[in-house]
Amino acid sequence: MTDAATKQVQPRKQGLSRTQKRALSRGAQYALFVAAVVALAVSADWARLKNQFAQVDLAKQMFPEIITLALKNTVLYTLSGFVFGLVLGMVIALMRLSPVGPYRWVAGIYIEIFRGLPALLIFIFVGVAVPLAFPGTEIPGGTYGKVALALGLVSAAYMAETIRAGIQAVPKGQMEAARSLGFSHARAMVSIIVPQAFRIVIPPLTNELVLLFKDSSLVLFLGVTLEERELAKYGRDLASQTANSTPILVAGLCYLLVTVPLGFVVRRLETKTGEATR
């Protein structure tokens, strides 16, 4: 047998397949992650962390007031800001889509300004600038009204763009069909287009509700009474009084008590919306 024939008979040496390489890469990443977690757990001073953040007796003293007062106020602030922002956002979205030029310009300027400014500055503006600009004028609802105005002004800019995108996502044939049946443009928008648009934008609007729930912590810059404190202010005050950070941790857990289920709802709604549009 010749050398050439011998070379043909000998099997070729093969390396790892693509699947094996991916499995090896994933295994290495898992091992690196576990090693990092173990190193972090071993190096942390758990005794000091427990003493500063996990005083069970102190946490128990916060109940039920942290729920009946702080969490309740946080939910009320969030819902009031969300409702005001949704109404204003709807108006801004329709102005954005209006054939009248000045309406579009005003809506565009509003969106760019309030999307670009930090929410903190909006709260300071509502708490300081509005009383100076309109002496003797009180915002209805006291602190709740101020929070609704501040959160609503911020959220309306984002909601307006979300609603506008939802309206534009509705097939144009829906409007044409409505007009052919004798609907006016305004009636078709209210009865046909907007309901379909809201079905599309429910997931991002729910996500905006989660963001507003966290932004409600900025209410402390408006100056609130003891009965008007929300979760962040309540936890911060108790932490200062007790020289311990356990109240802040408990307040954070209360935030998660609301935001985690809302996040799950957002994912479910996104899944259902995606299935409905297929």
Side-chain angles (χ1 to χ4, degrees):
M1 185 178 294
T2 63
D3 293 342
T6 304
K7 291 180 180 179
Q8 292 178 357
V9 173
Q10 291 178 350
R12 295 181 179 179
K13 294 182 180 180
Q14 296 181 351
L16 296 176
S17 66
R18 184 176 300 177
T19 303
Q20 291 174 329
K21 291 180 178 179
R22 286 200 297 264
L24 184 62
S25 176
R26 284 196 299 268
Q29 293 176 31
Y30 290 145
L32 182 61
F33 174 75
V34 171
V37 171
V38 171
L40 183 63
V42 171
S43 60
D45 191 338
W46 294 104
R48 293 184 63 183
L49 286 174
K50 180 180 179 181
N51 181 64
Q52 186 65 24
F53 288 96
Q55 291 294 327
V56 178
D57 294 338
L58 182 57
K60 289 180 178 179
Q61 295 175 13
M62 300 174 65
F63 290 90
E65 192 176 38
I66 192 173
I67 302 295
T68 59
L69 176 67
L71 182 58
K72 181 198 72 173
N73 284 336
T74 301
V75 172
L76 290 177
Y77 292 149
T78 303
L79 292 179
S80 60
F82 181 79
V83 171
F84 179 74
L86 183 61
V87 174
L88 181 58
M90 185 69 201
V91 174
I92 297 298
L94 294 177
M95 291 174 63
R96 185 77 161 165
L97 296 172
S98 173
V100 181
Y103 287 168
R104 295 197 307 272
W105 303 334
V106 171
I109 292 172
Y110 176 90
I111 290 171
E112 293 302 324
I113 289 177
F114 284 92
R115 282 198 310 180
L117 289 176
L120 172 59
L121 295 184
I122 305 302
F123 271 82
I124 295 175
F125 172 80
V126 170
V128 178
V130 171
L132 290 176
F134 305 97
T137 302
E138 289 291 336
I139 297 177
T143 301
Y144 293 96
K146 293 178 182 178
V147 175
L149 178 60
L151 288 178
L153 289 174
V154 175
S155 63
Y158 295 94
M159 291 187 189
E161 286 294 88
T162 300
I163 295 172
R164 178 189 61 79
I167 291 174
Q168 291 180 327
V170 177
K172 293 182 179 179
Q174 297 290 321
M175 174 62 76
E176 295 172 356
R179 295 302 298 272
S180 66
L181 293 174
F183 283 70
S184 65
H185 184 274
R187 186 182 176 190
M189 286 291 293
V190 173
S191 303
I192 307 297
I193 305 301
V194 171
Q196 294 185 63
F198 266 94
R199 182 181 178 183
I200 297 172
V201 302
I202 282 178
L205 288 182
T206 308
N207 193 49
E208 182 64 27
L209 180 62
V210 176
L211 297 176
L212 281 182
F213 187 77
K214 296 183 293 183
D215 284 343
S216 64
S217 61
L218 297 173
V219 70
L220 63 92
F221 291 98
L222 295 177
V224 295
T225 64
L226 293 178
E227 296 300 319
E228 295 171 339
R229 291 178 296 174
E230 40 67 55
L231 284 172
K233 175 66 173 173
Y234 184 86
R236 181 182 177 185
D237 288 349
L238 284 184
S240 299
Q241 294 172 12
T242 60
N244 191 276
S245 299
T246 299
I248 295 178
L249 176 63
V250 176
L253 293 176
C254 289
Y255 276 106
L256 294 177
L257 189 65
V258 176
T259 57
V260 170
L262 278 178
F264 176 77
V265 170
V266 171
R267 290 190 294 272
R268 291 288 296 175
L269 289 173
E270 288 176 344
T271 301
K272 290 185 177 181
T273 302
E275 293 174 352
T277 54
R278 289 177 184 174

